[in-house]
Amino acid sequence: MSDVQAATDQLLAVNLHENQSSIKVTESGPRSESENLQVTIGATVPTGFEQTAADEVREKLRSSCKISKDRGKIYFDISVESLAQVHCLRSVDNLFVVVQELKDYQFKETKEEVLKDFEELAGKLPWSDPLKVWKMNTSFKKKKTKRKKINENSSKEKMDNRQGDKRDEKDVKKELTDNALESHILDYYENPAIKEEISTLVSDDLASCKDETDESPREETAPEVLKFRVTCNRAGEKHCFSSNEAARDFGGAVQDYFKWKADMTKFDVEVLLNIHDNEIVVGIALTEESLHRRNITHFGPTTLRSTLAYGMLRLCDPQPTDIIVDPMCGTGAIPIEGATEWTNCYHIAGDNNPLAVNRAANNISSLLTKNQIKEGKLSWGLPIDAIQWDVCNLPLRTGSVDIIVTDMPFGKRMGSKKRNWNLYPACLREMSRVCRPGTGRAVLLTQDKKCFTKALSGMGHLWRKVHTVWVNIGGLHAAVYLLKRTPQAFVHSSEQDGERTPCSHPTDCTEQVETRHTLLLRFDAPLPVLKIPAFPLDGIRQQHLPYFLITPHTSGKKGKHLLNISFKTVVRLSGNC
């Protein structure tokens, strides 16, 4: 709090030094205006998780939220003081400020008349307050970019300290102080105790923006012309026009109204024209790229969006001290998002692919480095670990996990539909073993709904389906299943048959597991039958003494020495059969 107070005092001192008379205006008129300025913010969210995003808005912003009829959009009212907090929402992809919402809009019968109405609509909209919010948002983004550059420069100067410092010490202190101030503004939820300072600084920022607007005609004879573009998102079948035609005519009217310059790529302002059946929403974009690009730096073939990962985690309602496991983590999007938001839980990321585990570890390391640069000091780390394992044979004790959240193979880019028929039942069975009976939860994402439903039907005594969320991922219709672990204790396959017929073997007999494995190996000579003892995992099935029985079958051309080895896992029970 002392750093924030010192930064605030320095900022006020600079303002007093520049123009002492403007302080009274900042404290009275513009500040009260900023407190009374209410705007409607629209946000795009992952389809199916609109309710989850609305709950986050109500929880963090204390604002009412409305879910749009158009899937994947929500709307909520805020004051401009909460603008920085809006960018901290974890479940939204893109943000925009609503200029006006037109419900039950009556389209004309012909295309020419409809496009003519679009041209007339541009001059009738209330652009003033949304443009103020856009300007404030732009100042936030400039501060964030400046902060990154200052941190990068400071880190480089520390490395090149032997060559001498080229900057003045006072300038360095000023930049670091401003950096700390802007960091507190943009990272509200990492230190919620500075709410009052944020409100004051946002009000001062709005006042300074207004003062700059009033003084700009005096200082500049030829003000800079903004560049803009219009993006039309249309849904509905009863429209006699296309999205491009609506954006073209509406954009032409906006250009005539503001005298802006149209630019489709290097634009300053993006005007949104959202049309859903008979509803029209005009807005101004507040984000240049999706907010889901926040954690992952090393991408894989099927990297999950951070916003979707947050929605899946929020479905299972994590509690402090919960152990949350992603047994098929890929690049680690789900556990990294969980470790960032739910720091009181312990997260484990695992995968059978060493490349995936390496990507997850690199993403964790990148996020730690980012946090250290942002905070300007060493970080305590994140409550997360990455490990390589087999999802069908997890090195975890029975009933030791509270929550399982994972993105299962769709059978498209990873795996295959055919393999899923064996993989899904084995995964559900192993998850039921490690998940805590009675209180354990699982949130599983898959596009292979037929295979998953079949596998779940055979696990009715261990898993109970609570809720299903239908989502759209890259054009694929997938489902997120929320499962609840039943109180029934897990029973190993070797213990399920309690009344086995006694055999005549004098010693312990073996019970073969139905799973067969195939390996293609290269040897210099034929391989005999092998009986290899398996190393027992720590705490896993200690009542069993497993070993592998491998029977080779030679295949291929002679002289190649390629062996197609098929084997079964054989488990020897500790007692007599």
Side-chain angles (χ1 to χ4, degrees):
M1 182 63 71
S2 59
D3 295 339
V4 179
Q5 186 65 35
T8 307
D9 294 340
Q10 182 177 358
L11 180 61
L12 294 176
V14 172
N15 290 337
L16 284 171
H17 180 71
E18 290 179 353
N19 190 358
Q20 186 175 2
S21 62
S22 62
I23 297 298
K24 296 181 179 180
V25 179
T26 303
E27 292 179 352
S28 58
R31 179 170 297 179
S32 60
E33 181 182 354
S34 66
E35 292 176 354
N36 297 328
L37 182 57
Q38 297 283 331
V39 293
T40 301
I41 300 295
T44 60
V45 301
T47 57
F49 285 96
E50 294 87 357
Q51 187 61 50
T52 303
D55 293 340
E56 184 191 11
V57 170
R58 298 187 187 100
E59 175 185 325
K60 295 182 177 180
L61 300 181
R62 305 298 181 183
S63 174
S64 60
C65 186
K66 181 186 70 173
I67 300 176
S68 174
K69 296 179 181 179
D70 189 9
R71 292 196 68 190
K73 291 186 178 66
I74 61 173
Y75 299 96
F76 51 93
D77 297 329
I78 64 165
S79 63
V80 293
E81 297 176 354
S82 305
L83 185 59
Q85 304 173 30
V86 174
H87 285 269
C88 297
L89 295 176
R90 314 291 295 184
S91 58
V92 301
D93 287 317
N94 294 282
L95 297 168
F96 60 92
V97 56
V98 176
V99 178
Q100 190 172 4
E101 182 180 3
L102 304 175
K103 298 181 179 179
D104 297 331
Y105 186 84
Q106 300 298 324
F107 293 100
K108 299 296 180 59
E109 296 181 358
T110 63
K111 180 193 300 186
E112 290 75 12
E113 293 177 340
V114 173
L115 298 180
K116 182 66 175 178
D117 290 344
F118 283 154
E119 295 177 1
E120 297 176 355
L121 178 63
K124 302 177 182 178
L125 298 176
W127 296 96
S128 177
D129 289 347
L131 285 176
K132 290 180 183 178
V133 176
W134 170 83
K135 188 171 183 179
M136 284 189 59
N137 185 77
T138 304
S139 67
F140 285 147
K141 290 190 294 185
K142 288 181 179 179
K143 290 179 181 180
K144 188 175 181 180
T145 304
K146 180 182 178 182
R147 182 184 65 179
K148 289 182 179 180
K149 291 181 179 179
I150 291 176
N151 288 330
E152 291 175 358
N153 293 334
S154 61
S155 61
K156 290 180 180 179
E157 287 173 2
K158 290 180 181 179
M159 296 175 62
D160 301 336
N161 193 21
R162 296 180 181 179
Q163 298 179 2
D165 192 355
K166 298 182 180 179
R167 297 190 301 175
D168 188 71
E169 184 178 357
K170 294 182 179 179
D171 295 336
V172 174
K173 290 183 178 179
K174 183 178 182 301
E175 289 181 354
L176 291 177
T177 306
D178 294 340
N179 176 25
L181 178 63
E182 293 156 7
S183 175
H184 284 292
I185 293 176
L186 294 174
D187 303 325
Y188 169 81
Y189 281 106
E190 295 183 4
N191 192 357
I194 60 174
K195 182 177 180 180
E196 296 180 358
E197 283 80 354
I198 289 178
S199 301
T200 303
L201 291 172
V202 170
S203 301
D204 293 340
D205 192 14
L206 181 63
S208 62
C209 290
K210 185 173 182 179
D211 293 339
E212 292 176 1
T213 305
D214 296 338
E215 295 176 0
S216 58
R218 303 175 184 176
E219 298 177 355
E220 300 180 2
T221 56
E224 182 181 359
V225 178
L226 294 177
K227 300 177 182 179
F228 85 104
R229 82 171 186 185
V230 174
T231 302
C232 179
N233 302 307
R234 184 179 60 87
E237 300 178 353
K238 298 180 180 180
H239 299 149
C240 60
F241 56 91
S242 64
S243 300
N244 291 333
E245 292 172 342
R248 179 196 63 198
D249 288 38
F250 184 75
V254 171
Q255 184 178 21
D256 295 338
Y257 184 78
F258 290 103
K259 307 302 179 183
W260 291 342
K261 182 180 179 181
D263 195 324
M264 297 295 105
T265 55
K266 299 179 180 180
F267 52 88
D268 301 311
V269 184
E270 183 179 14
V271 180
L272 303 177
L273 181 62
N274 298 327
I275 304 174
H276 179 72
D277 292 333
N278 292 333
E279 182 179 283
I280 297 179
V281 178
V282 181
I284 299 177
L286 300 179
T287 52
E288 295 180 359
E289 63 177 6
S290 177
L291 296 179
H292 80 269
R293 302 177 181 272
R294 54 175 177 257
N295 296 333
I296 305 302
T297 56
H298 298 73
F299 292 87
T302 58
T303 301
L304 195 68
R305 285 172 169 249
S306 297
T307 50
L308 184 58
Y310 175 85
M312 294 174 61
L313 286 162
R314 195 177 175 92
L315 272 181
C316 54
D317 189 22
Q319 300 298 320
T321 71
D322 277 352
I323 297 177
I324 306 176
V325 175
D326 184 357
M328 294 177 278
C329 67
T331 57
I334 295 176
I336 290 176
E337 183 67 22
T340 305
E341 183 69 11
W342 289 274
T343 57
N344 293 328
C345 301
Y346 181 62
H347 306 263
I348 304 177
D351 203 287
N352 67 334
N353 191 337
L355 295 178
V357 177
N358 188 37
R359 292 192 191 101
N362 289 334
N363 287 323
I364 296 172
S365 178
S366 299
L367 186 60
L368 287 173
T369 304
K370 179 182 176 181
N371 292 339
Q372 290 176 4
I373 293 176
K374 183 170 59 176
E375 297 175 0
K377 60 182 180 180
L378 292 178
S379 175
W380 287 99
L382 294 172
I384 183 175
D385 278 321
I387 186 174
Q388 182 180 355
W389 60 28
D390 181 9
V391 68
C392 299
N393 192 15
L394 297 174
L396 300 172
R397 293 184 181 274
T398 301
S400 60
V401 176
D402 297 290
I403 297 173
I404 297 176
V405 185
T406 192
D407 176 14
M408 305 185 74
F410 287 10
K412 301 279 187 182
R413 296 181 182 178
M414 298 295 293
S416 64
K417 296 280 189 179
K418 183 177 180 180
R419 291 181 58 186
N420 285 348
W421 288 98
N422 294 327
L423 178 64
Y424 280 18
C427 290
L428 286 175
R429 182 169 182 80
E430 184 66 6
M431 291 177 187
S432 64
R433 182 186 68 82
V434 301
C435 203
R436 199 179 304 276
T439 60
R441 291 92 73 196
V443 177
L444 309 177
L445 168 65
T446 179
Q447 191 263 340
D448 197 350
K449 299 179 286 294
K450 182 179 179 180
C451 180
F452 183 86
T453 304
K454 179 67 175 178
L456 186 62
S457 63
M459 300 287 175
H461 60 293
L462 297 174
W463 291 110
R464 179 174 60 88
K465 185 172 69 173
V466 178
H467 184 53
T468 303
V469 178
W470 304 102
V471 296
N472 190 320
I473 302 178
L476 298 177
H477 297 283
V480 177
Y481 296 93
L482 173 61
L483 308 180
K484 181 73 178 293
R485 180 68 166 85
T486 62
Q488 181 173 343
F490 178 83
V491 179
H492 295 287
S493 59
S494 57
E495 300 173 354
Q496 287 181 351
D497 190 4
E499 298 180 357
R500 286 190 294 267
T501 304
C503 65
S504 58
H505 293 155
T507 59
D508 296 347
C509 66
T510 60
E511 178 183 353
Q512 293 184 351
V513 179
E514 296 180 358
T515 305
R516 293 184 62 88
H517 309 272
T518 302
L519 298 177
L520 184 62
L521 304 177
R522 184 188 300 271
F523 292 93
D524 295 333
L527 188 68
V529 176
L530 298 179
K531 185 177 181 181
I532 306 175
F535 186 80
L537 296 173
D538 182 23
I540 302 301
R541 304 172 185 174
Q542 294 182 351
Q543 68 273 24
H544 295 166
L545 299 175
Y547 63 88
F548 300 113
L549 181 64
I550 301 179
T551 305
H553 303 279
T554 305
S555 62
K557 297 181 180 179
K558 294 182 179 180
K560 295 285 186 178
H561 303 296
L562 294 178
L563 300 180
N564 185 6
I565 303 177
S566 61
F567 61 94
K568 293 181 179 180
T569 304
V570 181
V571 180
R572 185 176 60 193
L573 301 179
S574 57
N576 294 331
C577 58

